[in-house]
Amino acid sequence: MQVTLLGTGDTAGTPVPRCDCATCERARETGQRRSRFSVHVKNERTGQRLLIDASPDFRQQFLDTDVALPDAAIITHVHFDHLDGLGNVYRLLDRLPVHAANETDPETGESVAETVRRRYNYLHQVEVFPETPFEPFEAAGFEITLVPVVHPPLLSYGLRVEGEEAVLSLTGDTSYAIPERSQTVLSGADLLLAEAIVPAAMCEKHPLGGRHPDENGVYRSFGTKHMTREGALDMAERLDAEQVRLVHLSHRYPAEQAFGPKLGVDGEQIVL
């Protein structure tokens, strides 16, 4: 299994256009950039490729890396930074099976799969496959299981990708309050990609503050729908992950911490 981090940033990416903060300036100077979130997973046994979330930066991500275009895709939720790259399959692919959860979201009145189908019904290349959370399915030669996480107000999902040689888990966009049943599915991975939008110290700047403090009062959730760095690292320990990379990172990390150990950057490849 070869995992390529195509996009490791949040909805604004790093650097943010016209932002002159120290983190964005360092990203420009060093070339350590973070586009909107997406992950490419190659099945080295079959040669098939899986795309997890379709970033609006799809085109540039595939220009910047040497990975092949996907044979299948998964959409974890319907926020634009995880979905809107699907339009790029036009004239690039003849067919792209897209897997997404089939649970109806009370907020939207439709499932993630239904939203994808409605949004991209003009593209014959996009073929949507509704999937039931906790029920494994096959895509790109992997066994995959979607699990609910907590990213209000919308339904959002993490997932486990299991190959013959390794297991990859992703928390998806979520607060620290991942349900126990979902944690069980995500546990024991060779690599965990954990959402970690900001350091815990930034919670004081959120209108809702921080949530889910640990025994030392360190917040593990930023507001209601994202994990802090400290929360993500704590979750990696809870899930007994062999390796962890923090992803979905914002430019609000202090410049001296923004590109430290375990923090993913675009283009990083990890072979499991």
Side-chain angles (χ1 to χ4, degrees):
M1 183 185 294
Q2 181 188 73
V3 180
T4 303
L5 306 182
L6 295 178
T8 53
D10 68 345
T11 187
T14 303
V16 176
R18 307 295 185 270
C19 180
D20 61 0
C21 76
T23 299
C24 288
E25 290 295 340
R26 179 167 294 185
R28 294 185 186 99
E29 292 167 1
T30 65
Q32 297 179 95
R33 301 192 174 207
R34 294 186 172 116
S35 58
R36 274 73 67 88
F37 182 78
S38 189
V39 177
H40 183 281
V41 188
K42 180 180 179 182
N43 188 326
E44 295 190 293
R45 178 179 58 85
T46 67
Q48 295 171 284
R49 287 87 52 177
L50 176 70
L51 183 70
I52 302 171
D53 283 340
S55 168
D57 301 309
F58 182 109
R59 178 179 180 274
Q60 194 61 49
Q61 290 171 348
F62 279 92
L63 287 173
D64 289 344
T65 60
D66 61 356
V67 298
L69 291 168
D71 298 296
I74 296 169
I75 300 298
T76 62
H77 66 294
V78 298
H79 278 152
F80 92 101
D81 53 325
H82 297 256
L83 171 62
D84 281 8
L86 274 182
N88 287 271
V89 305
Y90 181 62
R91 293 186 178 174
L92 291 182
L93 297 170
D94 294 327
R95 175 178 180 265
L96 183 66
V98 178
H99 303 265
N102 64 3
E103 295 179 306
T104 299
D105 190 330
E107 184 72 19
T108 65
E110 57 188 12
S111 67
V112 175
E114 288 169 331
T115 299
V116 174
R117 182 179 289 120
R118 176 176 55 80
R119 290 276 303 273
Y120 293 97
N121 64 359
Y122 67 95
L123 290 177
H124 73 269
Q125 294 92 343
V126 174
E127 185 177 358
V128 179
F129 291 84
E131 305 293 352
T132 300
F134 297 113
E135 293 186 6
F137 61 93
E138 188 276 334
F142 295 115
E143 182 179 277
I144 298 166
T145 308
L146 290 167
V147 296
V149 292
V150 179
H151 189 56
L154 298 179
L155 294 185
S156 183
Y157 301 86
L159 63 151
R160 178 184 179 93
V161 180
E162 189 162 354
E164 288 188 356
E165 69 283 2
V167 173
L168 167 69
S169 287
L170 293 84
T171 65
D173 279 19
T174 184
S175 77
Y176 185 79
I178 298 174
E180 288 294 333
R181 185 180 178 190
S182 297
Q183 288 189 39
T184 298
V185 174
L186 298 174
S187 67
D190 296 283
L191 173 65
L192 174 71
L193 301 181
E195 199 247 359
I197 197 165
V198 293
M202 295 299 298
C203 289
E204 64 186 32
K205 298 185 178 181
H206 194 291
L208 299 177
R211 298 194 180 190
H212 307 117
D214 65 13
E215 62 276 10
N216 298 311
V218 176
Y219 290 116
R220 292 176 288 191
S221 291
F222 179 65
T224 61
K225 56 186 179 181
H226 295 285
M227 282 194 289
T228 63
R229 173 185 59 194
E230 291 78 359
L233 292 173
D234 185 272
M235 182 60 66
E237 289 190 17
R238 285 177 62 97
L239 299 181
D240 193 28
E242 184 70 23
Q243 298 184 65
V244 62
R245 291 293 185 280
L246 306 186
V247 294
H248 205 263
L249 308 171
S250 82
H251 74 126
R252 295 186 181 94
Y253 274 80
E256 66 275 10
Q257 301 175 22
F259 303 102
K262 299 183 180 178
L263 275 66
V265 294
D266 288 10
E268 181 179 4
Q269 288 190 333
I270 303 154
V271 178
L272 302 176

